[in-house]
Amino acid sequence: MPAESLRWDTLEALKNSSKGKLKYNTDWLEKGEGVLESVNTTPSLSAWVLRQLSSRSPQKAAPSSPVSVTGLSAEPSAPARDPSPPAEPRGAVEREEVQGDAVENTQKDPDPSISLLSARATQVEGCIRVCEKNHRDKAQELLRQRLELQEEMVGAMASRESEQLKRFEELMELKRRQEYQSVRDMLERSSQEALGRQEKLKEEHRHRMKIQNLKLREAELQRLREAELERQRQVEGRDRLRRLNSVQEEVLQLNTLIDPNSVQASLDLTGYSVRGNQLCGHVSEIIRTTAEGEFPSAEDMARAEGALQEMRTMIGIMRQDIEAALEKKRRYLAEEEEKRKQLELQRQQEVKPQTAAPPAEQKGKQRKAGLQTSAEESTLKWYKELQEISRQCAASFEELNSSKDMQTKKLRMELQKAASIPVSQISSISGSKLREIFDKIDVLLSCKSVQSAGRPVSASQHPQGLDFVSYKLAEKFVKQGEEEVASHHEAAFPIAVVASGIWERHPKVGDLILAHLHKKCPYSVPCYPPMKEGTSIEEYQRILGYRVDDIGVEAQDSFLKRMSGMIRLYAAIIQLRWPYGNKQAADPHGLNHGWRWLAQMLNMDPLADITATLLFDFLEVCGNALMKQYQGQFWKLILMIKEEYFPRIEAVTTTGQMGSVMRLKQFLEDCLKRREIPVPKGHLSSSFWRS
């Protein structure tokens, strides 16, 4: 390692020299190109000098002073330095000289003449050059290594950046997928929300459609009700017009009975004739007011019926006057015919057995024909039993009915309202409403509390309360048939089905309904009550079902209308049962009673205008149910009515009473022709109970 240590010593000496202390510009390669031109010429000379020196022997050292070479430079070489300082080592002096020469050479301008250095200086310079070359090579190697390191670093960084780019791309892809998934989730949520909103809108639409349909249905029902009311108004108007025409016809017929020139009338009838003509003119005036297409009002009918009643009363008085005059005349003639009295008495005695014989013969013929003048004994017995039940029931609550106590009177009024108001509310609007009314009546008859005029009331609040409620309830059912069903035939079915249900759960009420019905309409038994001895005409007319008041007896049309309503109610009751009752229990008053009524009605002599009306009403309401129940036997009965019984009805009917007869005839002919009896109008179908 001596060479290595020597090398380092040399470098340390150079560093401490004046030249080594010079500052070099590191950018001389880029900026000092002019300086390099003077330096670059030296190596060629130094190389040549080195080659010259190397050819020599190392023992032959050059003289210590520099030698000037002629021809190489025009200037002489620099003189030798004064070697006076002895203490300085030689090597150091030589290094300083070499350095001084180098500095001088660098400061001088290039010149073609080259000064030769000493061998030591040349060696030193060569070492410097070799050192510089080594340093340059080392620097280049370092630079190359640094470049390789830099390339490795760049490659590593590029690889790292590439990996980071891949991670970034993966992150971006992940974000893109997440965004896509979030968008997709959002779209699914929005789709679900849209579906939910759509379903909600559909539900709202269905709800609105349901409400609209209900409104339309209500409007349609309202229109139908209005149309039905208009139709009923038209029917009632036409009915009033027919009644008005019949009133006019009867008034005119009664007026023809007033004949002032009658032979039988020995008294003056001019006053009766004038008043009769006035009444006829009054009725004709009412007819003229309704001749423009309008129907007569209730006031017009009241005036016309009042005129008819006055005419009837006047005719009765006139007949009494005529009978009194005739009686007076008979007494006057009796004195003249006294001689023939014995002969007349003898002739009367001979005539009596002859006149008594025809009724016996006629009665025998009627028995042969199977006709009766009254109901059967069993039917009359049943009728009397029902009337006795009704009388006992009325007597049982006499104390409640006649009490003067204010609290008892108030309770009686509340119980009567609780019994009558639900029956008045019965209609064919809906089955649920009908069931609600039935439940209210059933609760009242079960001695439970019900609401009446906003206050609770119960039949158990008085010992006689249940009998009172049952009696009033049965009376109200029959009154509904007498008034409501008489005006609106379709109302018979909802009233009848409630009455049938109450009858099934409370049989006593059913018996009272029949008792009231038989009392107001004896033709529902059927029976024709005979006039007993000592009974006045007004009382007998009440027994027959006529309304008799201070004005007089009601008109025949009004009487037939009420009888028709009650027979229709009875015909509906016997064919209907409460749909929510016990199906296994027997019908308390079923179709067998309808067959019995029809058979007994045909076994009795027909009455003018009454029999035809009641048969038509009964068959129109109950005929379809009887046809389904009895089938062939029923058609035999209908055929018998058409061929045998109907001629008897025509025989007792006058010309002014043919309306009901023609209706019955047309009904029988249509049924026999089609071999079917239509379902009555207003019949409650199964869909009604779901409304």
Side-chain angles (χ1 to χ4, degrees), residues 50-64:
L50 290 174
R51 283 193 302 271
Q52 291 294 326
L53 291 175
S54 61
S55 61
R56 297 180 182 180
S57 172
Q59 289 81 10
K60 295 179 179 179
S64 59

Side-chain angles (χ1 to χ4, degrees), residues 287-295:
I287 292 291
R288 281 194 296 272
T289 57
T290 60
E292 298 179 356
E294 296 182 358
F295 295 114

Side-chain angles (χ1 to χ4, degrees), residues 8 34 101 149 171 263 271 329 349 362 364 384 405 538 639:
W8 283 107
D101 293 339
L149 181 61
L171 181 62
V263 178
K329 185 177 180 180
Q349 290 176 0
Q362 186 177 3
K384 292 177 182 179
D405 183 60
E538 293 182 354
L639 188 61

Side-chain angles (χ1 to χ4, degrees), residues 73-122:
S73 177
E75 294 181 0
S77 61
R81 296 181 182 271
D82 189 11
S84 55
E88 189 176 355
R90 182 178 179 180
V93 174
E94 289 179 354
R95 283 196 300 270
E96 288 178 359
E97 288 178 357
V98 171
Q99 291 177 358
D101 293 339
V103 171
E104 289 178 0
N105 290 332
T106 56
Q107 292 177 354
K108 290 182 179 180
D109 295 332
D111 192 17
S113 59
I114 299 174
S115 58
L116 297 175
L117 299 177
S118 63
R120 185 62 179 172
T122 301

Side-chain angles (χ1 to χ4, degrees), residues 37-51:
E37 291 178 357
S38 59
V39 178
N40 289 336
T41 55
T42 306
S44 59
L45 180 60
S46 299
W48 179 80
V49 171
L50 290 174
R51 283 193 302 271

Side-chain angles (χ1 to χ4, degrees), residues 497-524:
V497 74
V498 175
S500 178
I502 295 298
W503 194 336
E504 183 178 342
R505 294 194 183 185
H506 308 278
K508 183 178 180 180
V509 179
D511 294 339
L512 292 174
I513 290 174
L514 274 182
H516 283 287
L517 187 64
H518 291 169
K519 185 176 181 180
K520 288 193 173 184
C521 179
Y523 311 104
S524 62

Side-chain angles (χ1 to χ4, degrees), residues 537-550:
I537 296 177
E538 293 182 354
E539 183 64 26
Y540 181 63
Q541 287 175 332
R542 287 193 182 95
I543 293 174
L544 292 178
Y546 287 90
R547 285 178 176 173
V548 182
D549 50 19
D550 296 336

